[in-house]
Structures are given as structure tokens and as C-alpha cells.
Amino acid sequence: MELNRRTVIAGAAAAGIAATTLGGTAEAASGRKPVRKLFGTLADGTKVYRWSLENGGTRLKVLSYGGIVQSLELPDRHCRYANVVAGFDNVADYVAKSPYFGALIGRYGNRIGKGRFTLDGTAYQLSVNDGDNSLHGGAQGFDKHVWDVEPFVKGSDVGLHLHYTSVDGEMGYPGTLRTTVTYTLTRHGDWRIDYAATTDKATVVNLTSHVYWNLAGEGSGTIEDHELTIAASRYTPTDSGLIPTGELAGVAGTPFDFRHAKPVGRDIRAGHEQQVLAKGYDHNWVLDKGITARPEHVATLRDPRSGRTLKIATDQPGLQFYSGNFLDGTLTGTGGRTYRQGDALCLETQHFPDSPNHANFPSTVLRPGRTYRTSTLHTFGA
Ligand code: GLA
């Protein structure tokens, strides 16, 4: 039986489990206004704060630096909590060596080939930070800026509005981009992300969140036994620099077929040429539902050991599934253990990588007077 969050919380109450076990940490009580604490200081003296939110049995900790989800605690089927996202316990590591752990990604999630694109006849050169290519917005992406954070309580929801203004020409992108990202924890313990952005010149934009999940608990080992479902019949194969070739290839009969729940590790060593290029899975799945007016369910991740489940709904046309291929045992996580290849995975809702250079991909152009809006909903269970 799959328990949803309400069942778990109600069951715990009936079993007489104290609120402190399930909810109420000192930093944030359930459904109450988010609480701020100093987390660290950047080299230039800027203070970085950590905001704690709690609602519906989910505990979320967010940094003003990069909008980073530093910790996300969920109960398992026995109401035992674990932090299910990879991260660090200090600011210096986030600045010096983070592979985008938990961060907001902008202006452009994933790669733009050679960091180049042409828009309305003008050629733009972006910051190149991944071989020849521009990755996740360039050398100083949205993950490396301090955001203005505004907490809120609205009805039974709690959350944070995060604001960042990227000046015209930053990392090579045209237009002043004013971005607001809203993190909401609902009374059911679901985590929703709403992105909004406006520009004063035509530009391209593709925002996402780079949370690394391990539903058995951060630092607990491999995610290869996690079962994953992705509602996509096609994906975008890449070249050796992980830039899409432009083809939309069928998943049927390949290791990329996650249309039915399958352990991540089942076909990860199949030796498919695309897996060899990426050192595992690091691809954009073309979601069957396409772009939708509202978030629709596209992926389910389940850890059979703890029973924890994550369901993702989005309005976006693509999902980047990255199996933590570049984690190499050199980073020490929040809980003091090192992360090795496959110790966490990412499911990034997005437009397709390198869209500005592929006329057959859905457009990522944003023009003045229009507002870019996208939402992703994470629903948890055990
Ligand atoms: C994304 C990319 C990967 C890798 C990670 C960060 O998911 O697709 O290739 O760069 O970010 O390490």
C-alpha cells in the first residue's frame, strides 16, 4: 500500500508519536513563518542565511546563496526522518566546489553549444565553462549569486520568494532579467517551485532546480536501486560534449526506456553509445505530454528500502535525468560521508538543452512585455 503524506501524519498522531518526532524543530514549526539563521559569510563579507520551513511533515532548508536547497527532510514508512538531498554543511564548499547541489539554475539550464546563439540577427557569445560549451548559465550562473529572500505565510502554505536581477550582458546574455522564484511548502508537505522572469530585450531563458535526490538518505550509498518512471517515449541524444544532435530518438528497446518503473541501475551498464558518452544517464527526456498550461505528472522516483516516493509534475516539455556520473569520491556531504558516482540523481524540469540552436525544439525566447512562467510540483509519500 502506498501511504500518502496525510495518512502518515494522521497515523503518527493516532499512534501517539510526539510532534517533535514528526515536525516541530527549534528552527521552524509546522505551517509557521520561515525562520532565518546565519549560515556563513562569503569572501567579500556578504552574509549567507539559511531559511528553515516546515509544513505537512516536510522540512526544507534553503540558502540565500544560489537559492540552494541545503536540506530536505522526509519521513520514511516508519516516520523516521532523513535528509534526502545532497549538499554541504558550509558556504565555502558551495562556493569552491559544488556541482550545483540543490541550486537554482539560470539563465539557461544545461548546455548551449560553444556558448553561442543568434537571436533576431544578432550573434551572442556566452560565458563558456564546460569544455567548449556554456553550462547552467556560465561561470557565474544564478547558483553563485545571493538572492533577496522574502518569507511568507499564505493560508495554510508557507514559503519564500527569491529575487535576483541579472544585468544586461551578464554572462553574455542580452537584456536585464528580473527573476522571482517562489518555493512553497503546502499543508500536505508538497514542495512547489514557481519561476517568473521578465526582460527588457529579447533573450533566451530556461530556469530549473538542480536538487540531487537520494530518497534513502543523503550519503547512504547508491541510487541504482531507486525505481524511476519517466512519461517519455523519446529523448534527445547528444554529441561527446553532451550537446543535443537535434534528433528526437525513440526510447523503445533502449536503456532510456523508463515508461514503466525500472531500477535506475538495471540498464545503466548496457553499454549503449549514448551512455558511454555521458558516463551513465545525462540526457533530456522529451515528455510525451509536451508543454502544458498546468503542471502534469511526468516522473516518479521510489526507494524500495525506505518506501519514500517523489512524484514530479511540470508544465515544461523536458526532463533532464542525470545519474550523478561526475560524483567521484572527492566531495564530503552534509552528513560527513563522501559522494561517489551514482550516490544521488537529478531530475531537472526544463526546456531542451541547446534549444536556441535547434529550430525544431520548443522555443526558449522571452521578449519584453511577456512574462516567463513555469511551475514544478514535488509530491512526497512513504
Ligand atoms: C547537469 C548536467 C551534467 C552535469 C551536472 C553537474 O545535470 O547535465 O552533465 O554537468 O549538471 O555536474
Side-chain angles (χ1 to χ4, degrees):
M1 174 177 73
E2 187 174 308
L3 298 175
N4 68 25
R5 176 53 50 83
R6 268 163 292 178
T7 326
V8 171
I9 302 303
I17 296 175
T20 44
T21 318
L22 264 179
T25 57
E27 276 185 63
S30 197
R32 302 256 183 76
K33 199 168 174 185
V35 176
R36 189 183 88 159
K37 261 193 165 179
L38 185 65
F39 185 69
T41 308
L42 300 179
D44 69 357
T46 308
K47 289 186 164 56
V48 172
Y49 293 98
R50 183 171 76 172
W51 289 86
S52 297
L53 293 74
E54 180 161 351
N55 208 3
T58 299
R59 303 170 183 160
L60 180 64
K61 293 192 167 76
V62 176
L63 305 184
S64 52
Y65 181 78
I68 287 169
V69 172
Q70 191 256 346
S71 168
L72 198 160
E73 289 177 68
L74 297 176
D76 67 5
R77 58 163 80 83
H78 304 295
C79 291
R80 284 181 304 226
Y81 271 82
N83 172 18
V84 298
V85 303
F88 297 118
D89 64 1
N90 68 90
V91 162
D93 283 353
Y94 278 110
V95 173
K97 48 190 170 189
S98 182
Y100 306 94
F101 283 155
L104 286 175
I105 302 296
R107 296 187 185 189
Y108 199 98
N110 215 277
R111 292 172 179 79
I112 296 185
K114 309 250 186 291
R116 281 189 212 141
F117 69 97
T118 299
L119 180 57
D120 298 339
T122 304
Y124 295 96
Q125 176 64 58
L126 306 173
S127 157
V128 163
N129 60 335
D130 185 64
D132 290 344
N133 304 318
S134 186
L135 174 65
H136 294 330
Q140 293 284 318
F142 285 10
D143 56 297
K144 294 182 184 68
H145 288 277
V146 172
W147 294 59
D148 287 330
V149 182
E150 208 190 319
F152 67 85
V153 178
K154 198 174 152 200
S156 55
D157 292 343
V158 300
L160 305 172
H161 298 297
L162 298 108
H163 308 283
Y164 176 66
T165 297
S166 172
V167 298
D168 185 14
E170 189 174 81
M171 297 293 110
Y173 287 91
T176 304
L177 193 78
R178 292 178 196 283
T179 301
T180 297
V181 178
T182 301
Y183 288 159
T184 304
L185 272 192
T186 71
R187 70 192 162 100
H188 304 311
D190 303 335
W191 173 41
R192 184 181 172 106
I193 314 179
D194 296 287
Y195 305 82
T198 58
T199 184
D200 57 4
K201 275 186 197 162
T203 192
V204 295
V205 59
N206 186 29
L207 307 180
T208 191
S209 159
H210 211 299
V211 167
Y212 282 69
W213 301 97
N214 185 327
L215 297 180
E218 165 282 325
S220 69
T222 183
I223 47 73
E224 285 193 21
D225 54 353
H226 281 36
E227 293 159 6
L228 178 63
T229 316
I230 306 176
S233 315
R234 292 174 300 171
Y235 73 109
T236 52
T238 70
D239 67 14
S240 59
L242 303 186
I243 299 296
T245 59
E247 187 196 350
L248 306 183
V251 298
T254 77
F256 293 82
D257 193 347
F258 283 93
R259 289 174 296 177
H260 300 286
K262 160 173 105 172
V264 167
R266 181 178 291 169
D267 298 327
I268 207 167
R269 292 172 185 79
H272 187 285
E273 55 162 3
Q274 283 293 315
Q275 296 176 301
V276 175
L277 291 177
K279 299 185 164 60
Y281 296 108
D282 191 355
H283 292 81
N284 169 67
W285 269 252
V286 178
L287 299 169
D288 287 338
K289 67 166 191 67
I291 297 174
T292 41
R294 288 175 201 294
E296 291 185 12
H297 174 248
V298 294
T300 300
L301 185 67
R302 178 173 175 272
D303 168 42
R305 278 182 288 165
S306 64
R308 292 190 188 94
T309 58
L310 157 67
K311 288 188 178 161
I312 295 183
T314 184
D315 48 18
Q316 292 288 280
L319 181 77
Q320 185 84 12
F321 163 38
Y322 167 60
S323 52
N325 313 327
F326 302 123
L327 298 174
D328 62 0
T330 59
L331 302 177
T332 302
T334 334
R337 285 178 290 263
T338 55
Y339 296 135
R340 295 176 56 81
Q341 193 176 47
D343 279 358
L345 64 81
C346 303
L347 296 166
E348 302 153 67
T349 54
Q350 60 179 19
H351 269 257
F352 307 169
D354 202 32
S355 294
N357 294 309
H358 297 277
N360 62 323
F361 289 179
S363 172
T364 52
V365 174
L366 177 68
R367 296 192 180 276
R370 305 298 300 257
T371 301
Y372 166 94
R373 280 187 206 284
T374 167
S375 302
T376 292
L377 182 67
H378 304 83
T379 309
F380 306 112

